[in-house]
Amino acid sequence: MTQHLSFSVSLNDALRFSHGLRQLGITHYYLQPREDQIVFVFERVSDQSHTILKRFFGADGSSLRN
């Protein structure tokens, strides 16, 4: 189990990502503002959730977000 996972996105993309996470049923995260970006922070992430989140945020090395 991963202890901590975070992804930085632009302020404009934060609402879209938040909506997408809600559609996936992922609600256990918090947001941190960082300059002109928003950081989605996930704690106590399972290996399966870790893989899903990396793919969702396009950080798995193979996914491309439009």
Side-chain angles (χ1 to χ4, degrees):
M1 182 168 283
T2 304
Q3 291 297 320
H4 178 86
L5 188 62
S6 63
F7 300 95
S8 295
V9 299
S10 71
L11 188 56
N12 293 334
D13 288 337
L15 184 59
R16 180 172 52 92
F17 280 109
S18 179
H19 180 71
L21 288 169
R22 190 177 34 202
Q23 286 183 319
L24 290 173
I26 299 172
T27 58
H28 292 92
Y29 64 91
Y30 61 92
L31 303 174
Q32 288 184 325
R34 185 175 294 158
E35 296 178 17
D36 61 344
Q37 295 196 331
I38 300 293
V39 179
F40 285 78
V41 181
F42 303 86
E43 294 183 354
R44 291 183 281 158
V45 178
S46 69
D47 291 338
Q48 181 179 8
S49 292
H50 183 270
T51 301
I52 291 168
L53 288 167
K54 283 183 72 172
R55 174 156 270 201
F56 178 78
F57 282 95
D60 63 350
S62 63
S63 297
L64 295 175
R65 304 279 306 165
N66 291 333

